[in-house]
Amino acid sequence: MRSIQGEFDGDGLRIAIVCTRWNDDIVDRLVDGALDVLNDCGVDDNDVTLVRVPGAFELPLAVDRLAERDDYDGIIALGAVIRGETPHFDFVAGECAKGLSATALEYGVPVGFGVITADNAEQADARAQPDEDHNKGAEAASAVVEMASLLRMIAE
Ligand SMILES: Nc1c(NC[C@H](O)[C@H](O)[C@H](O)CO)[nH]c(=O)[nH]c1=O
Ligand SMILES: CC(=O)[C@@H](O)COP(=O)(O)O
């Protein structure tokens, strides 16, 4: 049986990170986690582009435009959607996830879903810790590097 699995080799990869200003106290820690993983994987800092949008609802449009440019081997989307008093949470989180997934499939570009969806600030904080195992940004960056590598292997 032949097995194909991506490697955590970021050499030569061009990566965009799109993050939100909403909940930036949390999201900036996701950015740090993502950057640490990209550095560990050997992605050159000069090959990383950081884009900031207002909130998670705006992530898909920015990611879509970046994917359309075909300048990036992977895109990491970072945000934190924290439930409030109304159903607004469901629409913001749902449309964000749906839009990011649609862009990945339309352009064939790996999009890391590094968007925390939490019922409260404590849950969000617990998913934005410095250690990679508790940082959604690190998780998303790792997935993007692996998928970019896998897609290169499949294309060979
Ligand atoms: N409540 C949160 C939001 N809400 C804002 C929306 O994302 C959007 O910017 C607004 O509806 C204007 O279009 N965004 C988050 O990222 N996190 C939240 O908890
Ligand atoms: C996820 C949201 O948009 C949410 O924080 C908004 O809070 P609320 O539902 O109380 O307006």
Side-chain angles (χ1 to χ4, degrees):
M1 175 183 72
R2 182 186 179 209
S3 172
I4 305 175
Q5 183 173 343
E7 298 169 345
F8 298 97
D9 177 8
D11 183 35
L13 292 183
R14 305 156 301 165
I15 303 294
I17 298 174
V18 186
C19 63
T20 67
R21 278 190 288 102
W22 256 85
N23 297 318
D24 58 2
D25 56 321
I26 297 280
V27 176
D28 286 352
R29 288 188 267 149
L30 301 183
V31 174
D32 291 340
L35 290 174
D36 287 346
V37 166
L38 295 181
N39 182 57
D40 291 345
C41 291
V43 176
D44 188 320
D45 192 53
N46 293 319
D47 290 333
V48 179
T49 301
L50 183 66
V51 177
R52 190 131 356 218
V53 298
F57 190 82
E58 285 76 35
L59 282 171
L61 179 55
V63 169
D64 192 83
R65 287 296 180 273
L66 290 166
E68 184 182 45
R69 290 173 58 93
D70 197 24
D71 289 345
Y72 301 98
D73 301 295
I75 303 172
I76 301 164
L78 304 177
V81 187
I82 300 175
R83 192 180 299 275
E85 298 172 349
T86 71
H88 200 241
F89 168 93
D90 301 300
F91 296 97
V92 170
E95 290 305 305
C96 176
K98 193 187 308 179
L100 295 176
S101 178
T103 291
L105 293 172
E106 178 178 2
Y107 294 104
V109 176
V111 175
F113 186 62
V115 180
I116 294 171
T117 53
D119 287 326
N120 54 58
E122 292 73 26
Q123 286 181 355
D125 179 73
R127 289 154 179 82
Q129 293 300 306
D131 74 278
E132 294 180 12
D133 294 335
H134 298 89
N135 188 293
K136 283 292 181 193
E139 176 186 294
S142 181
V144 163
V145 172
E146 183 178 358
M147 282 301 295
S149 164
L150 176 62
L151 294 184
R152 282 181 169 175
M153 293 177 183
I154 293 171
E156 285 171 354

